[in-house]
Amino acid sequence: MEQSFGSYLKELREHRGISINQLAQAAEISGSQISRIENGLRGVPKPPTIRKIADALGSSYEELMSRAGYLDSENNLEEEQIPDWATYRDKRDFKKMLEDDGELMFDGIPLDQEDKQRIKDVLTGLFWEAKQMNKRNKKRR
């Protein structure tokens, strides 16, 4: 069974010998938020929060993002979903879109990981379709 992000975070924090309050202070987020994440009472945090936690723990941001389900474990930018015609700027925009995604909810209830992935897949397809349409429109002008 795959370890949840919260239990992984708790294990990592305890391995470093850091209390919840110490991590909260170093990451500049509330101790109750960290406690809720570790105990599974809160969904996976947003990428900017994961960045703060990674920096505070001295851990790899990419590893935490992967454990949180934002990145494929095989690659960091999900290369198989990036079209051949994509420029550096396009890839940067795509990465920013993925990092900016927040807590996804429906009727105030956080979505599970499977539903989040389905939404992410749809957004990925729409993102690249819109980029390609914009490139065609620029060529016509």
Side-chain angles (χ1 to χ4, degrees):
M1 187 171 109
E2 193 170 313
Q3 187 179 34
S4 75
F5 179 78
S7 58
Y8 174 73
L9 176 61
K10 182 176 183 176
E11 183 180 295
L12 193 60
R13 178 184 58 75
E14 289 176 343
H15 180 75
R16 300 262 195 299
I18 299 172
S19 71
I20 288 177
N21 289 334
Q22 290 170 321
L23 177 57
Q25 187 174 23
E28 298 178 346
I29 56 179
S30 75
S32 62
Q33 183 177 4
I34 292 171
S35 178
R36 287 193 312 268
I37 292 167
E38 288 185 355
N39 292 309
L41 301 174
R42 184 194 184 284
V44 174
K46 296 176 186 174
T49 303
I50 292 174
R51 168 69 73 191
K52 289 179 180 182
I53 291 170
D55 291 346
L57 288 171
S59 297
S60 162
Y61 174 65
E62 287 76 19
E63 173 65 18
L64 286 178
M65 287 289 286
S66 179
R67 292 288 188 139
Y70 287 107
L71 301 176
D72 285 349
S73 50
E74 296 88 40
N75 55 47
N76 290 342
L77 197 52
E78 300 180 4
E79 291 290 336
E80 73 279 357
Q81 297 178 2
I82 298 175
D84 294 336
W85 51 261
T87 65
Y88 168 79
R89 271 187 167 162
D90 296 334
K91 292 175 186 178
R92 181 199 63 204
D93 291 347
F94 178 63
K95 186 174 181 179
K96 183 164 176 40
M97 180 197 74
L98 291 179
E99 287 180 355
D100 285 348
D101 96 353
E103 183 71 29
L104 297 175
M105 296 191 188
F106 182 77
D107 279 347
I109 300 169
L111 298 177
D112 64 24
Q113 200 59 35
E114 181 181 338
D115 289 337
K116 285 181 188 179
Q117 187 60 48
R118 289 173 60 202
I119 289 170
K120 186 175 164 183
D121 291 344
V122 170
L123 288 175
T124 297
L126 292 172
F127 176 88
W128 291 117
E129 186 177 315
K131 277 286 188 181
Q132 192 168 34
M133 285 174 28
N134 285 343
K135 287 181 183 300
R136 277 189 252 141
N137 289 339
K138 284 181 183 178
K139 288 180 183 178
R140 290 181 189 154
R141 292 181 192 161

